Amino acid sequence: MTEQNNYSLDITADVCPMTFVRAKLLIEKMSPGQLAEIRLKGMEPLINVPRSLAELGHEIVSIQAEDGAATDGPHRLVVRKK
């Protein structure tokens, strides 16, 4: 977690739909404008978690692969709560 991120969550060991459920629960306890860094892995979470959070109105700040990660490898998603 970087200094600018208020929360951090690692869901690399989880599978859908739990990846979204855990991310949503984290976002719900945050205040508007706060940032969360969510570490996820696998194509399904990489597509579904950011899309679902954006559909709820939250801002997807960035999605970046970790150093040397494959397309479906670990990524870091940064989300700003609406």
Side-chain angles (χ1 to χ4, degrees):
M1 182 169 81
T2 65
E3 289 182 35
Q4 69 178 1
N5 297 323
N6 303 105
Y7 291 88
S8 180
L9 177 66
D10 186 340
I11 55 174
T12 55
D14 297 324
V15 295
C16 288
M18 285 308 298
T19 51
F20 173 66
V21 170
R22 291 194 60 211
K24 185 177 179 204
L25 289 173
L26 173 71
I27 298 290
E28 286 176 353
K29 73 179 187 178
M30 295 168 51
S31 297
Q34 287 187 314
L35 295 172
E37 179 182 82
I38 302 171
R39 190 168 177 259
L40 50 145
K41 180 178 166 185
M43 288 310 297
E44 194 171 3
L46 281 170
I47 294 168
N48 293 336
V49 172
R51 184 196 69 219
S52 297
L53 292 175
E55 286 174 357
L56 293 175
H58 305 296
E59 176 188 354
I60 305 306
V61 176
S62 66
I63 303 173
Q64 294 183 322
E66 292 184 0
D67 292 338
T71 304
D72 62 348
H75 282 66
R76 294 185 185 274
L77 166 67
V78 177
V79 180
R80 184 182 319 275
K81 182 174 180 168
K82 65 174 179 175

